[in-house]
Short mmCIF file of all heavy atoms in Angstrom, two decimals:
data_model
loop_
_atom_site.label_atom_id
_atom_site.label_comp_id
_atom_site.label_asym_id
_atom_site.label_seq_id
_atom_site.Cartn_x
_atom_site.Cartn_y
_atom_site.Cartn_z
N GLY A 78 154.25 -60.45 66.51
CA GLY A 78 153.50 -60.14 67.70
C GLY A 78 154.40 -59.67 68.87
O GLY A 78 153.85 -59.29 69.91
N ASP A 79 155.69 -59.69 68.69
CA ASP A 79 156.61 -59.34 69.78
C ASP A 79 157.43 -58.09 69.44
O ASP A 79 158.31 -58.16 68.55
CB ASP A 79 157.54 -60.53 70.09
CG ASP A 79 158.44 -60.33 71.27
OD1 ASP A 79 158.90 -59.16 71.49
OD2 ASP A 79 158.73 -61.31 71.99
N THR A 80 157.18 -56.98 70.07
CA THR A 80 157.78 -55.76 69.68
C THR A 80 159.32 -55.82 69.79
O THR A 80 160.03 -55.29 68.88
CB THR A 80 157.25 -54.60 70.56
OG1 THR A 80 155.90 -54.57 70.51
CG2 THR A 80 157.85 -53.26 70.17
N GLN A 81 159.83 -56.43 70.73
CA GLN A 81 161.25 -56.58 70.92
C GLN A 81 161.89 -57.41 69.84
O GLN A 81 162.93 -56.97 69.21
CB GLN A 81 161.68 -57.13 72.29
CG GLN A 81 163.16 -57.20 72.53
CD GLN A 81 163.57 -57.75 73.92
OE1 GLN A 81 162.68 -58.09 74.68
NE2 GLN A 81 164.83 -57.80 74.11
N LEU A 82 161.32 -58.54 69.49
CA LEU A 82 161.82 -59.33 68.34
C LEU A 82 161.68 -58.66 67.05
O LEU A 82 162.62 -58.72 66.23
CB LEU A 82 161.05 -60.69 68.30
CG LEU A 82 161.44 -61.74 69.30
CD1 LEU A 82 160.48 -62.98 69.12
CD2 LEU A 82 162.86 -62.17 69.10
N LEU A 83 160.59 -57.86 66.91
CA LEU A 83 160.39 -57.17 65.63
C LEU A 83 161.47 -56.11 65.45
O LEU A 83 162.04 -55.97 64.37
CB LEU A 83 158.96 -56.58 65.66
CG LEU A 83 158.43 -55.99 64.32
CD1 LEU A 83 158.49 -57.01 63.18
CD2 LEU A 83 157.08 -55.44 64.47
N GLN A 84 161.80 -55.37 66.53
CA GLN A 84 162.81 -54.37 66.44
C GLN A 84 164.18 -55.00 66.15
O GLN A 84 164.96 -54.38 65.36
CB GLN A 84 162.84 -53.57 67.78
CG GLN A 84 161.68 -52.61 67.95
CD GLN A 84 161.45 -51.71 66.80
OE1 GLN A 84 162.41 -51.12 66.26
NE2 GLN A 84 160.21 -51.53 66.30
N GLN A 85 164.45 -56.16 66.75
CA GLN A 85 165.72 -56.83 66.44
C GLN A 85 165.70 -57.25 64.98
O GLN A 85 166.75 -57.10 64.32
CB GLN A 85 165.93 -58.07 67.37
CG GLN A 85 166.27 -57.66 68.74
CD GLN A 85 166.47 -58.84 69.60
OE1 GLN A 85 165.85 -59.94 69.44
NE2 GLN A 85 167.32 -58.70 70.63
N PHE A 86 164.60 -57.79 64.45
CA PHE A 86 164.57 -58.14 63.07
C PHE A 86 164.78 -56.96 62.17
O PHE A 86 165.51 -57.00 61.14
CB PHE A 86 163.19 -58.89 62.75
CG PHE A 86 163.17 -59.49 61.36
CD1 PHE A 86 163.77 -60.77 61.17
CD2 PHE A 86 162.67 -58.86 60.29
CE1 PHE A 86 163.75 -61.35 59.91
CE2 PHE A 86 162.66 -59.43 58.99
CZ PHE A 86 163.24 -60.67 58.87
N PHE A 87 164.25 -55.82 62.51
CA PHE A 87 164.41 -54.57 61.76
C PHE A 87 165.82 -54.19 61.70
O PHE A 87 166.33 -53.52 60.75
CB PHE A 87 163.62 -53.45 62.37
CG PHE A 87 162.08 -53.50 62.08
CD1 PHE A 87 161.26 -52.70 62.81
CD2 PHE A 87 161.59 -54.44 61.15
CE1 PHE A 87 159.86 -52.77 62.52
CE2 PHE A 87 160.21 -54.45 60.87
CZ PHE A 87 159.30 -53.63 61.65
N SER A 88 166.64 -54.57 62.72
CA SER A 88 168.07 -54.21 62.73
C SER A 88 168.95 -55.13 61.89
O SER A 88 170.15 -54.81 61.66
CB SER A 88 168.57 -54.30 64.22
OG SER A 88 167.87 -53.41 65.02
N LEU A 89 168.42 -56.21 61.36
CA LEU A 89 169.26 -57.10 60.59
C LEU A 89 169.71 -56.50 59.30
O LEU A 89 168.92 -55.88 58.62
CB LEU A 89 168.45 -58.36 60.24
CG LEU A 89 168.10 -59.27 61.40
CD1 LEU A 89 167.17 -60.46 60.91
CD2 LEU A 89 169.29 -59.80 62.08
N PRO A 90 170.96 -56.63 58.95
CA PRO A 90 171.48 -56.21 57.69
C PRO A 90 171.00 -57.07 56.52
O PRO A 90 170.57 -58.21 56.80
CB PRO A 90 173.05 -56.26 57.84
CG PRO A 90 173.22 -57.28 58.84
CD PRO A 90 172.02 -57.23 59.80
N ILE A 91 171.14 -56.64 55.34
CA ILE A 91 170.67 -57.39 54.20
C ILE A 91 171.27 -58.83 54.10
O ILE A 91 170.56 -59.79 53.93
CB ILE A 91 170.94 -56.66 52.86
CG1 ILE A 91 170.03 -55.39 52.76
CG2 ILE A 91 170.71 -57.55 51.63
CD1 ILE A 91 170.33 -54.48 51.59
N PRO A 92 172.59 -59.01 54.35
CA PRO A 92 173.14 -60.37 54.34
C PRO A 92 172.50 -61.32 55.36
O PRO A 92 172.32 -62.51 55.08
CB PRO A 92 174.61 -60.16 54.61
CG PRO A 92 174.93 -58.79 54.29
CD PRO A 92 173.64 -58.03 54.57
N ALA A 93 172.17 -60.80 56.53
CA ALA A 93 171.53 -61.63 57.53
C ALA A 93 170.11 -62.04 57.13
O ALA A 93 169.67 -63.16 57.30
CB ALA A 93 171.46 -60.90 58.89
N VAL A 94 169.35 -61.04 56.56
CA VAL A 94 167.97 -61.38 56.11
C VAL A 94 168.03 -62.39 54.97
O VAL A 94 167.28 -63.28 54.90
CB VAL A 94 167.25 -60.09 55.67
CG1 VAL A 94 165.91 -60.39 55.01
CG2 VAL A 94 167.09 -59.15 56.86
N GLU A 95 168.99 -62.20 54.06
CA GLU A 95 169.15 -63.11 52.92
C GLU A 95 169.54 -64.51 53.50
O GLU A 95 168.93 -65.52 52.98
CB GLU A 95 170.33 -62.64 52.02
CG GLU A 95 170.50 -63.45 50.81
CD GLU A 95 171.58 -62.86 49.87
OE1 GLU A 95 172.51 -62.12 50.38
OE2 GLU A 95 171.57 -63.21 48.74
N LEU A 96 170.35 -64.63 54.45
CA LEU A 96 170.68 -65.91 55.05
C LEU A 96 169.48 -66.55 55.68
O LEU A 96 169.17 -67.73 55.55
CB LEU A 96 171.80 -65.74 56.11
CG LEU A 96 172.32 -66.96 56.84
CD1 LEU A 96 172.94 -67.90 55.88
CD2 LEU A 96 173.34 -66.56 57.93
N HIS A 97 168.66 -65.70 56.40
CA HIS A 97 167.51 -66.19 57.08
C HIS A 97 166.45 -66.73 56.07
O HIS A 97 165.91 -67.76 56.21
CB HIS A 97 166.88 -65.02 57.92
CG HIS A 97 165.55 -65.42 58.52
ND1 HIS A 97 165.42 -66.32 59.49
CD2 HIS A 97 164.32 -64.90 58.33
CE1 HIS A 97 164.20 -66.37 59.83
NE2 HIS A 97 163.49 -65.56 59.18
N LEU A 98 166.26 -65.99 54.99
CA LEU A 98 165.31 -66.40 53.99
C LEU A 98 165.72 -67.65 53.26
O LEU A 98 164.91 -68.49 52.83
CB LEU A 98 165.05 -65.29 52.97
CG LEU A 98 164.29 -64.04 53.47
CD1 LEU A 98 164.24 -62.94 52.48
CD2 LEU A 98 162.91 -64.46 53.97
N ALA A 99 167.02 -67.80 53.04
CA ALA A 99 167.58 -68.99 52.41
C ALA A 99 167.25 -70.28 53.19
O ALA A 99 167.21 -71.39 52.61
CB ALA A 99 169.04 -68.91 52.17
N CYS A 100 167.05 -70.15 54.47
CA CYS A 100 166.72 -71.30 55.35
C CYS A 100 165.28 -71.65 55.33
O CYS A 100 164.94 -72.74 55.83
CB CYS A 100 167.19 -70.96 56.81
SG CYS A 100 168.93 -70.57 56.95
#
Side-chain angles (χ1 to χ4, degrees):
D79 184 324
T80 306
Q81 183 179 0
L82 281 176
L83 191 58
Q84 289 304 316
Q85 286 181 331
F86 189 83
F87 286 166
S88 300
L89 292 175
I91 292 172
V94 173
E95 184 176 22
L96 181 63
H97 176 63
L98 291 174
C100 302

